[in-house]
Amino acid sequence: MGVIIEGKGLTKSFGGLTAVKKVDFHLNKGEIVGLIGPNGAGKTTLFNLMSGVYHPEEGTLSFNGMEITSLKSFEICRLGIARTFQIVRPFLKMSCLENVLIGIIGRGDPREGIKAKGEEARKLLKFVSLEGHEKNSANNLTLIEKKRLEMARALATQPRLLLLDEVLAGLNPSEILQALELIEVIRTQLKMTIFWIEHVMGAIMKASDRIIVLDQGEKIKEGRPEEVVNDSKVIEAYLGESDA
Amino acid sequence: MGNKKLWISFAFIILALFPPLFLSQYWLHVMIISLFYVMMASSWNLIAGFTGQVSFAHAAFSGMGAYTSGMLTVYLGLPPWLGILIGTGVAALLGFGLGYLCIRMGGIYLSLTTLGFSEILRIIITNEDQWTRGTMGLQVPGFFVEYSKTSYYYLFLIVTILLLIVIYKIIHSEMGLTFRAVLNDEVAASSSGINTVRVRVLAFAISSAMSGLAGGFYGHYLMLITPDVPSLGQMFLVLAMAVIGGMGSFAGPIVGSFVLEILSEYIRVYGEYHVLLFGLIALAMARFAPEGVVGILRKKWRREWA
Amino acid sequence: MSELLMYLTNGIVIGVINAISAIGVSLIVGIMKVVNFAHGELYIFAGYFSYHLSVSLGVPPLLAMPLSIFLIFLIGIGMERTLIRPTYGDEMYSLIITFVLSIVLQNAALLIFGPYPQKPPNWVTGAMNIFGLYHYGNQRILSFFISIGVLLSIFYLIKRTWFGKSIRAISQDREMAALVGVDHLKVNMLAFGLGAALAGAAGVVLSPIFPVTPSGSSSVSLNAFIVVVLGGMGSLKGCVVGGLILGILENLGAAYISTMYRHIFGFIILILVLVFRPWGLFGQKTQ
């Protein structure tokens, strides 16, 4: 089991505020790792660094042994890292099929014909249970459907590593179960490594191999779920947050 | 293309064959100018309406096309079609260069730089009058040995239809899909593997080339090219046609061009108020009905038929 | 030698006024991400206001100036309320709307004020001998000192008052600013008014030296934009340094190379900046 992605000493600040401070982490191939921490801990910023939306002031990132620290988003995506967004960002004025097609086009492989791409997009929509919505505008979907659409778009880029930013937020218990099943299928059948941010503690603890905890931009704990839940620093970080 | 759309387009093309049979020379001229504006507004819409980038150099690029072809035909004796081809190439290259420089910095930079480019081009053309004849205008040969508005009308009709077909194909291709993705959400597009800067630069270069082409034909129709061709006033008219007709739709700029050009012929009788009037209408449209006349009609029809 | 010094002085005087005009653009870009393409038209209107107030209505020049600037401030507020506010977050429409507005105002100016250049009366007459080297017009000297005064007040306003703090908060992080209770709608409106007023101030100060015409507006806008890009988007210091650089280069270029191509020097600067340092002299390389 080799390392798929590794970050060393990652630091990123906005104005005077340091959002991510000297964070070291790595993920092994095939792992599913949870990223948790109170609000404002820097979780989404870390995802933005990994996907090239921001670039770190200090530190390096490497993916499959290749340095990706200063690459642009689309380059990182083509290397095999795809993501979803905390606040969903499907292309609202495009149809569901077109949304997924963008992910397929984003692979930058000119060999495939438009017909094959359409077929593949349909399959992906079916995979996330959005069949029948092909021509529907993304704007008309419910929040949960939009999340699934984003997931399909991310999968369409054929990533090796999938970054999921709060895909369970706003879902009811039965929907959470469905989503978890989907994530499990992605991991076992599509053989992808998964790094996910989640506030739904029960789910992330149950489904993750390993947990990384951030607080105020720093990594305060890393380990198996049962180690993390009993860690005093982690409990303290969460107790400091009134609505946790 | 849906069957219904195909038939409607076909019907329009058939109808467009008849005007020379009954229109006066004056109104035939208005039709030819309208067709030029259709090319201009539709190609501007390709970047503004489909990628969300506002270029203020569209008229300037048409001027590049017109002057390049004009000077090549006058000073080197090239045939107009070859001049236009080269003029289009020059506009494409310049568009690519400018786009490459500023688009990576964001849309605001493109708008600022293209505005600057328009001004500079005007100054150069006005001052280098030993080549361009400045404000006097450069006399250039026409397309036909025997001047006839009817011939020009059919020439412009064919070129416009071909250009519109290309635009339609682009909009409905993979490239068009990436245009819209960039317009919808740049971060999401980039995170999905789309090279957004490349898409934007490409769209800008294509659109600039199209306006160079339109300008080339325009010059050889007018047979007198003046700095009005690449002026900001002209730029404004093109923009107003797209905005009032409806940006981001295929039909919008076409409708806008005909309506505004014909309307300005009627207003011209009362003096040069058409710019002020179109400006106010465009402001109101951009503020209250950004989908334009075509968008309003479409909504209305949908409500009545649904 | 004294000739060169004179061109340099001209460059510095124009440069400071450039800076005022550019800060007007920069303020608005910095906090609203809106480029006001009607900037030059506001400048022109201010020049005409101050001309008509003093010549047609007989208001003393030193009163006509602030009055014209205040009128432009009100126009700016009106623009923001009616046309700009609904476009927040939609860069494309704000670009289109301010461009169309610039054409409308330019044509309105033509209709109202006519096509002829106008120049408000000089506030002072005569010339002064500078260090025994050359004579320099008193009007220009006074314009220069008034501009310095305007610049200092803007720096004070932005560095020291609640308004300035709110502006900086919003330009750094809109959401954060909202959280700490900055009323961004109000600040946007005032900032847009202030940006407009600065275009007006530049117009009022410069019009006794260079008469205004409706067709001169686009080069005013362009100068301001070039300075903003050169200095770095959103940087006040950049506006001052950039304004001076542009002022001096244009004057030297016009004197020693070609008057016709005065404005081309600015465009060349713009292209060079985009090639070598696209974030400008004092701008921040984003992300």
Side-chain angles (χ1 to χ4, degrees), chain A residues 32-235:
Chain A
I32 172 163
V33 177
L35 180 61
I36 66 169
N39 284 324
K43 302 178 300 274
T44 296
T45 305
L46 188 62
F47 268 26
N48 282 334
L49 291 177
M50 294 168 73
S51 57
V53 175
Y54 299 140
H55 297 292
E57 279 119 38
E58 284 168 44
T60 56
L61 265 169
S62 57
F63 180 67
N64 278 329
M66 185 182 164
E67 164 126 18
I68 59 163
T69 318
S70 53
L71 293 188
K72 300 194 176 75
S73 288
F74 79 92
E75 293 168 319
I76 289 177
C77 174
R78 285 184 186 180
L79 285 174
I81 302 178
R83 68 173 296 181
T84 68
F85 293 90
Q86 184 180 10
I87 299 158
V88 281
R89 303 180 87 147
F91 305 116
L92 291 175
K93 288 178 189 161
M94 292 166 65
S95 74
C96 292
L97 196 73
E98 288 172 333
N99 265 271
V100 181
L101 271 171
I102 287 294
I104 297 174
I105 295 169
R107 299 202 296 250
D109 188 346
R111 283 168 305 175
E112 297 157 283
I114 185 110
K115 242 192 179 152
K117 286 177 184 169
E119 262 325 293
E120 192 186 340
R122 266 171 232 284
K123 270 186 200 152
L124 278 163
L125 279 177
K126 196 170 172 213
F127 182 73
V128 297
S129 325
L130 280 177
E131 64 262 53
H133 286 286
E134 284 83 358
K135 291 199 168 167
N136 203 350
S137 162
N139 203 15
N140 296 336
L141 298 183
T142 63
L143 177 68
I144 293 113
E145 287 168 337
K146 280 179 187 154
K147 286 189 172 192
R148 291 209 295 258
L149 180 62
E150 246 195 358
M151 185 95 97
R153 185 179 67 191
L155 291 174
T157 67
Q158 291 184 340
R160 303 318 310 153
L161 170 65
L162 194 56
L163 309 176
L164 302 175
D165 199 344
E166 296 199 25
V167 279
L168 304 184
L171 271 56
N172 66 38
S174 77
E175 287 164 344
I176 287 180
L177 278 181
Q178 282 175 13
L180 287 176
E181 266 170 42
L182 187 64
I183 292 172
E184 190 53 30
V185 172
I186 291 170
R187 187 161 100 100
T188 51
Q189 290 184 7
L190 304 180
K191 307 253 185 301
M192 288 177 194
T193 309
I194 293 173
F195 197 18
W196 58 327
I197 295 174
E198 206 46 73
H199 273 299
V200 181
M201 281 305 145
I204 197 163
M205 290 298 171
K206 203 167 73 188
S208 303
D209 299 329
R210 209 148 50 86
I211 301 282
I212 293 173
V213 190
L214 289 185
D215 184 32
Q216 294 176 11
E218 290 179 87
K219 187 173 85 173
I220 58 168
K221 179 73 188 170
E222 176 176 356
R224 288 197 310 278
E226 60 272 23
E227 292 169 4
V228 168
V229 282
N230 295 320
D231 188 88
S232 58
K233 268 198 273 179
V234 176
I235 294 168

Side-chain angles (χ1 to χ4, degrees), chain B residues 48 52 54 56 101 104-105 107-109 111-112 116-117 119-120 124 127-128 239 273 275-276 279 283 287 290, chain C residues 35 37 82 86 91-93 95-96 99-101 103-104 107 111 218 222 225 233 260-261 264 267 274-275 278:
Chain B
V54 183
F56 292 126
L101 270 186
R104 60 200 164 130
M105 295 302 295
I108 286 179
Y109 283 78
S111 298
L112 294 181
F117 178 72
E119 269 298 287
I120 294 320
I124 293 178
N127 286 324
E128 296 300 317
L239 181 146
Y273 297 119
V275 172
L276 197 56
L283 278 184
R287 168 77 177 79
Chain C
V35 177
F37 280 99
T82 50
E91 184 186 290
M92 182 180 75
Y93 273 100
L95 291 170
I96 288 177
F99 175 76
V100 174
L101 200 60
I103 299 286
V104 167
N107 276 271
L111 210 65
S218 47
L222 217 53
F225 299 155
M233 287 250 178
M260 298 280 209
Y261 285 109
I264 296 210
F267 188 69
L274 286 173
V275 173

Side-chain angles (χ1 to χ4, degrees), chain C residues 154-202:
Chain C
I154 299 168
F155 271 86
Y156 178 81
L157 188 70
I158 290 178
K159 299 286 182 202
R160 291 269 180 271
T161 62
W162 71 267
F163 176 63
K165 278 179 195 141
S166 317
I167 283 184
R168 275 178 294 147
I170 291 180
S171 54
Q172 270 171 16
D173 192 329
R174 184 169 283 269
E175 281 163 37
M176 214 60 124
L179 279 179
V180 295
V182 175
D183 179 354
H184 71 96
L185 282 183
K186 196 164 112 195
V187 173
N188 279 354
M189 187 177 81
L190 288 175
F192 203 92
L194 181 62
L198 287 173

Side-chain angles (χ1 to χ4, degrees), chain B residues 13-36:
Chain B
I13 291 173
I14 296 291
L15 279 176
L17 293 176
F18 291 105
L21 299 181
F22 57 88
L23 281 185
S24 69
Q25 291 288 296
Y26 172 75
W27 282 106
L28 206 52
H29 167 75
V30 173
M31 282 295 126
I32 296 170
I33 301 294
S34 302
L35 287 170
F36 163 69

Side-chain angles (χ1 to χ4, degrees), chain B residues 190-255:
Chain B
S190 187
S191 297
S192 307
I194 304 295
N195 184 346
T196 53
V197 172
R198 197 175 144 232
V199 168
R200 284 173 180 275
V201 174
L202 198 66
F204 181 60
I206 291 174
S207 154
S208 302
M210 287 175 169
S211 87
L213 179 87
F217 279 98
Y218 189 55
H220 288 291
Y221 166 65
L222 295 178
M223 293 175 18
L224 181 74
I225 310 171
T226 66
D228 284 340
V229 177
S231 67
L232 279 178
Q234 179 85 320
M235 179 66 240
F236 161 74
L237 276 183
V238 171
L239 181 146
M241 286 164 176
V243 168
I244 293 173
M247 280 168 61
S249 79
F250 180 74
I254 304 176
V255 173

Side-chain angles (χ1 to χ4, degrees), chain B residues 14 42 49 53 72 99-100 108 110 142 175 189 200 272 274 298:
Chain B
I14 296 291
S42 294
Q53 308 182 95
L72 286 174
Y100 181 80
I108 286 179
L110 182 75
M175 200 201 292
R200 284 173 180 275
E272 290 291 313
H274 64 285
R298 199 170 276 162

